[in-house]
Amino acid sequence: SIQSVIIDARLDPSGNMSITEKRIYDFNGHFRWATYSLPTGNTGGVVDFSVGEEGNPYSRSSDDRAGTYSYQENPGLISAKWFFDAQNETRTFILSYTVLDAVKAYQDAAVLYYKFVGTGWDETSREVVVTIQVPEGIKGDQVKAWAHGPLWGTVQINENGTVRAQITDLPKNTFWEVRALYPSSYFPGIRDISPEHVIPTILAEEKRWAEEANAQRREWIKKQQAKKTRKQYGFWVVLIINGAGFLTVGSLYHRYGRKHQVPYPDTFYSEIPSNLSPALLSYLLSRGQIGG
C-alpha cells in the first residue's frame, strides 16, 4: 500500500517545474520492483529524471539489480522501473525530475495546469500533499488556485504565493491535479506567449465546476442524513420485530413445542401400565411420530 505521497514542486522564471516526489510504500510480503509512469503531453518533456532512497541514489541500468532503475521515453509518456529488496517493511523512495514548459504564458496570466497524481495507480494513496513553490516576489493575493479530484480534498494559498493541495485516501485510478494562475511578469523566461486572455474563461469554468462539486456535496450530505435517519428508525423497527418474533416463538414453543411430561413412579413395575396401544402412546408422546 502507499502510505503517503509528498510532492514538492518549484517553478522557475522560465516556466519549468522541478519536482521532488517522496513516496512511502508499506510492503506486506516480499517485493523487488516498482514502476512509475508520467504523461508528458502539453509540456516540453521531462529531463533530469532520477530515483533512489534517502542518501542512496539508484543508478540507471538494465540488469535489474537492487539499487538500479530503468527509464524509457515514449511519445507523450515516460516510464521508469526501479529495483530493490523489501520484505514486510516500510520504504521511502524519492523521485526527482524537471518538467519543461509546465507553465504557459498568456496576455493576462501565467497558468500552471498539471496532474500531479495520474489515474494509473492501482493502490489507494492514504495521503497526498502537493506544495508548489513560486519565483521570489509573488504574493499570495496575486495567486489563484484550484484543485481537481475527489470532493474531500483541500487547496490553500499562503502569503508567499505557495500553493498547497492536500487529500487523504485518494482512491486508486483517481487523479489529483492543480490549476494555478500567476502574474506573467514573474516568468520572463517564457518566450512563447499566447495572444489569448484566459482569466475570464478559466474563472467561468472553475465557477461552473465548483457549483457542480457543491451540488454533489449537498447531495452526499442529504444522502448521509437520510442514511442516519433510516439507521435510527431502523434500530427500533428491528428491535420491535425481533421482540415480537421472540415472543411469538416462545408462545408457540410453550404451547406446541414442549414434550408432554409423564410422571414416573419411584418403583418399577413389570405390568403393562394401561390398555393404550404402544403406537398410540408413541404418537402422543413424540408429537405425531411413531417409532419401531
Side-chain angles (χ1 to χ4, degrees), residues 88-103:
N88 299 327
E89 60 183 307
T90 299
R91 298 280 284 271
T92 300
F93 301 103
I94 301 174
L95 299 96
S96 300
Y97 52 91
T98 298
V99 181
L100 303 177
D101 303 330
V103 179

Side-chain angles (χ1 to χ4, degrees), residues 152-186:
W152 57 89
T154 61
V155 62
Q156 172 185 337
I157 303 173
N158 298 324
E159 293 182 0
N160 61 357
T162 298
V163 174
R164 180 183 174 92
Q166 184 173 1
I167 188 168
T168 57
D169 295 326
L170 179 66
K172 62 182 181 180
N173 299 317
T174 303
F175 68 86
W176 184 240
E177 67 180 15
V178 174
R179 174 152 67 175
L181 303 183
Y182 304 100
S184 299
S185 58
Y186 288 94

Side-chain angles (χ1 to χ4, degrees), residues 122-200:
D122 56 4
E123 296 289 344
T124 295
S125 298
R126 300 177 193 170
E127 178 188 40
V128 178
V129 180
V130 177
T131 304
I132 305 172
Q133 311 281 350
V134 293
E136 187 176 354
I138 298 182
K139 304 300 182 183
D141 57 4
Q142 297 175 295
V143 179
K144 295 184 184 299
W146 301 266
H148 303 148
L151 299 182
W152 57 89
T154 61
V155 62
Q156 172 185 337
I157 303 173
N158 298 324
E159 293 182 0
N160 61 357
T162 298
V163 174
R164 180 183 174 92
Q166 184 173 1
I167 188 168
T168 57
D169 295 326
L170 179 66
K172 62 182 181 180
N173 299 317
T174 303
F175 68 86
W176 184 240
E177 67 180 15
V178 174
R179 174 152 67 175
L181 303 183
Y182 304 100
S184 299
S185 58
Y186 288 94
F187 297 90
I190 301 178
R191 298 183 179 181
D192 186 10
I193 302 176
S194 173
E196 300 177 54
H197 289 76
V198 295
I199 290 182

Side-chain angles (χ1 to χ4, degrees), residues 44-288:
V46 171
V47 296
D48 302 330
F49 184 91
S50 66
V51 63
E53 298 180 70
E54 192 72 45
N56 181 28
Y58 288 8
S59 59
R60 186 172 178 179
S61 177
S62 59
D63 57 8
D64 300 355
R65 288 182 296 106
T68 66
Y69 74 94
S70 60
Y71 175 79
Q72 291 183 340
E73 295 184 61
N74 299 303
L77 181 73
I78 67 163
S79 58
K81 184 176 184 179
W82 63 95
F83 301 89
F84 49 87
D85 189 4
Q87 184 167 0
N88 299 327
E89 60 183 307
T90 299
R91 298 280 284 271
T92 300
F93 301 103
I94 301 174
L95 299 96
S96 300
Y97 52 91
T98 298
V99 181
L100 303 177
D101 303 330
V103 179
K104 308 299 181 185
Y106 299 86
Q107 295 299 313
D108 53 352
V111 181
L112 172 69
Y113 196 178
Y114 192 77
K115 196 179 268 73
F116 287 93
V117 178
T119 58
W121 297 96
D122 56 4
E123 296 289 344
T124 295
S125 298
R126 300 177 193 170
E127 178 188 40
V128 178
V129 180
V130 177
T131 304
I132 305 172
Q133 311 281 350
V134 293
E136 187 176 354
I138 298 182
K139 304 300 182 183
D141 57 4
Q142 297 175 295
V143 179
K144 295 184 184 299
W146 301 266
H148 303 148
L151 299 182
W152 57 89
T154 61
V155 62
Q156 172 185 337
I157 303 173
N158 298 324
E159 293 182 0
N160 61 357
T162 298
V163 174
R164 180 183 174 92
Q166 184 173 1
I167 188 168
T168 57
D169 295 326
L170 179 66
K172 62 182 181 180
N173 299 317
T174 303
F175 68 86
W176 184 240
E177 67 180 15
V178 174
R179 174 152 67 175
L181 303 183
Y182 304 100
S184 299
S185 58
Y186 288 94
F187 297 90
I190 301 178
R191 298 183 179 181
D192 186 10
I193 302 176
S194 173
E196 300 177 54
H197 289 76
V198 295
I199 290 182
T201 302
I202 291 176
L203 293 181
E205 189 174 52
E206 292 293 345
K207 180 182 178 181
R208 185 178 72 253
W209 289 348
E211 290 172 349
E212 293 174 355
N214 288 334
Q216 292 180 25
R217 289 189 184 95
R218 289 192 294 269
E219 183 66 23
W220 182 84
I221 292 174
K222 183 178 178 182
K223 289 181 178 179
Q224 292 301 112
Q225 291 174 341
K227 182 178 179 181
K228 183 178 179 181
T229 301
R230 289 196 303 269
K231 187 176 181 180
Q232 291 175 342
Y233 283 107
F235 171 79
W236 293 107
V237 170
V238 171
L239 186 63
I240 292 171
I241 292 175
N242 285 343
F246 282 123
L247 290 174
T248 302
V249 171
S251 176
L252 291 174
Y253 176 79
H254 181 76
R255 187 171 182 180
Y256 300 108
R258 296 190 302 172
K259 290 185 177 182
H260 181 67
Q261 299 299 318
V262 179
Y264 199 78
D266 295 334
T267 305
F268 287 96
Y269 296 94
S270 60
E271 291 83 0
I272 296 176
S274 72
N275 60 357
L276 289 177
S277 68
L280 177 57
L281 191 61
S282 176
Y283 182 87
L284 292 175
L285 295 181
S286 303
R287 289 180 288 181

